[in-house]
Amino acid sequence: MSYVNGLKCRECGREYPKDVLFVCEYCFGSLEVDYDYAKIKKSLTKESLKDRPKTMWRYAELLPIDKEPTVGLFSGFTPLLKANNLARVLGVRELYIKDDSVNHPTLSFKDRVVSVAISKAREFGFDTVACASTGNLANSVSSQAASCGLRAFIFIPADLEAGKVVASQIYNPNLIGIEGNYDEVNRLCSEIASKYRWAFVNINIRPYYAEGSKSMGYEIAEQLDWKLPRHIVVPSAGGSLITKLWKSFKELEKLGFVDKVNTKVYCAQGQGCAPIVTAIKEKSDVIRPVKPKTIAKSLAIGNPADGYYAVDTVRKSKGWAEEATDEEIVEAIKLLAKTEGIFTETAGGVTLAAAKKLIEQKVIPEDESIVVCITGNGLKTQEVVTKSLPKLTKIKPNLASFEEHIKNGDRQKIAENKVIEYYI
Ligand SMILES: *Cc1c(COP(=O)(O)O)cnc(C)c1O
Ligand SMILES: [Zn+2]
């Protein structure tokens, strides 16, 4: 059963069939999936959701797959946890973490988009999938291609974190490190995509891929009992996730699942690669491409494909934007770990650091609901924190050594490790 009318140009509105297309041949605008919402409304109801699986596929009508999904069957429906400890530290009343650091199967938000993209690529009959990636996309395409026996070509900047490289290589794809930054990887991939008949998940089947992000928004709404948060802080690389979260909220409004959308959307980027944040702060429509220089490599896209739409989303929602320095990123990773027991990667550090700054600036008020989107797992970017962590304490395997340690060991460390009053 399909609920998709076809594709539609985001700029001129021209309609196209649901095919392997991604740009408008008249105005070069990007194409977007167009749904039959009247039909969706009949099938997708709060009642019908009750006995559906706790995965992103419970919202299947709003995803662009015609048949049953064939990969990523366990992706999505990640925890939305009320972060009371972190809220106290930040001085706010109602704070939630949407925790995609535990998404299935590869521990990042990219599992959502890849589950849709590869299921769609199989509907189209492709035997090879590919991607240009800053790391997490590479992991998810490698894993999900392996799970359904497709050939995979994965293109990444050669200088990615070791954890990100291993977490692709293990699935045995054709993994190619490009001596250049993501924007150069992407340019090369566009050339390859026009020559080889492969499904590049974020290039020639991008309209379908991008829709997968919306599932995160549906889940947040459902997990808050169909009340949208007043504020949501979102990390941006190419600017797709932030745009699609907004689309998901507007769709829920259209379907009558939530009241009128009243959520302010905030964009978070690393200071050394913040073209979207800069445009928002300068109140400009124009994205000036930058050469990335940040430890947040998963967000290091200097020329974001959906940058314009990301800026437009933030402006429409009356939100704002903030950037995080490398030091602030590391501090925020440690703060989330210490207060909520969640180990996020650099992108999560960016998002929490940006949220913290927006709260300190009173751009986000202390007494309204806030969701912080944590999109990746800290085990993949360990090198950014190892330098700032204490050395491993080593003792002999006997009680006397332990008691010696307690007596003479790092007193400050032991004292700091006490129960702190903000814990409840
Ligand atoms: C890809 C990615 C994002 C956001 O990507 P967009 O290109 O803006 O959709 C956010 N966090 C992590 C960890 C990512 O890998
Ligand atoms: Zn057009």
Side-chain angles (χ1 to χ4, degrees):
M1 180 83 104
S2 176
Y3 298 85
V4 173
N5 292 330
L7 300 176
K8 203 170 183 176
C9 176
R10 269 161 147 182
E11 293 303 318
C12 73
R14 262 200 184 76
E15 292 174 8
Y16 292 84
K18 43 183 175 183
D19 214 332
V20 186
L21 298 167
F22 63 108
V23 275
C24 175
E25 56 190 60
Y26 293 91
C27 77
F28 301 107
S30 54
L31 302 184
E32 189 169 41
V33 179
D34 179 37
Y35 296 86
D36 182 345
Y37 290 105
K39 190 170 165 192
I40 290 173
K41 209 166 180 172
K42 287 193 202 120
S43 162
L44 181 67
T45 60
K46 287 182 189 175
E47 191 57 36
S48 77
L49 280 171
K50 285 214 172 83
D51 39 48
R52 294 192 184 188
K54 288 235 162 27
T55 71
M56 61 184 278
W57 299 107
R58 61 201 272 105
Y59 317 104
E61 288 92 338
L62 291 159
L63 297 171
I65 304 295
D66 290 346
K67 301 179 194 144
E68 290 295 312
T70 52
V71 297
L73 303 188
F74 298 94
S75 297
F77 224 84
T78 56
L80 180 82
L81 64 103
K82 189 141 188 281
N84 289 330
N85 303 325
L86 182 58
R88 288 199 193 184
V89 173
L90 299 182
V92 295
R93 192 170 55 83
E94 193 182 352
L95 180 69
Y96 302 88
I97 299 292
K98 179 58 174 170
D99 189 8
D100 261 25
S101 75
V102 291
N103 215 338
H104 194 271
T106 66
L107 308 176
S108 88
F109 126 82
K110 290 299 195 302
D111 290 326
R112 300 175 182 278
V113 282
V114 173
S115 299
V116 172
I118 297 191
S119 289
K120 196 69 199 173
R122 297 185 85 195
E123 285 185 6
F124 284 134
F126 284 100
D127 63 7
T128 304
V129 290
C131 68
S133 171
T134 56
N136 285 312
L137 185 60
N139 297 167
S140 194
V141 173
S142 301
S143 156
Q144 303 208 46
S147 78
C148 65
L150 291 183
R151 198 156 67 128
F153 274 88
I154 309 292
F155 300 87
I156 53 173
D159 69 347
L160 280 195
E161 301 95 339
K164 294 260 168 79
V165 176
V166 170
S168 292
Q169 196 80 286
I170 193 68
Y171 307 106
N172 199 31
N174 299 289
L175 179 67
I176 300 167
I178 309 292
E179 292 167 356
N181 60 34
Y182 172 82
D183 300 286
E184 293 166 305
V185 174
N186 191 47
R187 214 170 307 130
L188 170 64
C189 285
S190 295
E191 268 182 71
I192 297 171
S194 65
K195 189 156 175 199
Y196 294 78
R197 201 187 170 273
W198 295 345
F200 268 89
V201 300
N202 55 340
I203 301 177
N204 54 357
I205 57 168
R206 188 175 179 89
Y208 305 96
Y209 152 97
E211 290 292 293
S213 291
K214 295 188 306 182
S215 59
M216 194 168 174
Y218 307 142
E219 290 170 19
I220 291 169
E222 186 175 358
Q223 288 166 320
L224 290 174
D225 207 11
W226 304 112
K227 275 190 228 33
L228 297 177
R230 284 286 282 125
H231 308 272
I232 186 165
V233 189
V234 187
S236 280
S240 181
L241 171 61
I242 195 168
T243 311
K244 295 293 178 174
L245 274 176
W246 180 251
K247 182 179 179 185
S248 75
F249 291 168
K250 294 305 259 186
E251 286 178 330
L252 291 177
E253 176 188 303
K254 195 175 329 196
L255 294 169
F257 279 72
V258 297
D259 294 339
K260 196 162 167 31
V261 179
N262 191 17
T263 304
K264 296 184 178 183
V265 181
Y266 303 85
C267 176
Q269 296 195 291
Q271 190 173 63
C273 183
I276 299 172
V277 171
T278 303
I280 293 164
K281 286 186 170 177
E282 291 179 352
K283 303 197 159 80
S284 160
D285 283 335
V286 185
I287 302 282
R288 267 185 286 115
V290 300
K291 251 204 157 66
K293 197 176 179 313
T294 169
I295 59 168
K297 293 185 181 185
S298 53
L299 303 180
I301 297 184
N303 189 12
D306 290 301
Y308 167 80
Y309 297 105
V311 172
D312 188 53
T313 293
V314 168
R315 196 162 300 150
K316 273 199 288 225
S317 79
K318 303 190 170 61
W320 194 238
E322 197 45 271
E323 60 209 20
T325 65
D326 288 355
E327 262 163 44
E328 290 167 338
I329 295 168
V330 172
E331 278 314 303
I333 291 173
K334 291 164 98 172
L335 177 63
L336 184 62
K338 208 166 64 179
T339 54
E340 297 298 336
I342 295 170
F343 184 16
T344 186
E345 69 147 271
T346 47
V350 166
T351 312
L352 179 54
K356 183 167 180 279
K357 289 166 97 168
L358 290 161
I359 290 164
E360 283 163 3
Q361 295 158 12
K362 309 225 180 285
V363 175
I364 298 180
E366 63 186 21
D367 57 348
E368 295 177 346
S369 58
I370 308 164
V371 169
V372 173
C373 297
I374 295 300
T375 49
N377 194 296
L379 292 172
K380 296 188 192 183
T381 62
Q382 296 181 42
E383 49 271 73
V384 304
V385 290
T386 40
K387 272 180 275 139
S388 65
L389 296 178
K391 278 217 184 66
L392 175 65
T393 299
K394 289 184 194 169
I395 63 168
K396 293 278 179 288
N398 58 54
L399 187 60
S401 293
F402 173 67
E403 290 185 331
E404 185 72 8
H405 164 66
I406 288 285
K407 203 150 87 260
N408 301 323
D410 185 345
R411 288 181 178 284
Q412 196 190 337
K413 167 80 188 150
I414 294 169
E416 271 174 12
N417 195 230
K418 70 181 195 296
V419 178
I420 303 169
E421 59 278 2
Y422 56 72
Y423 292 88
I424 49 169

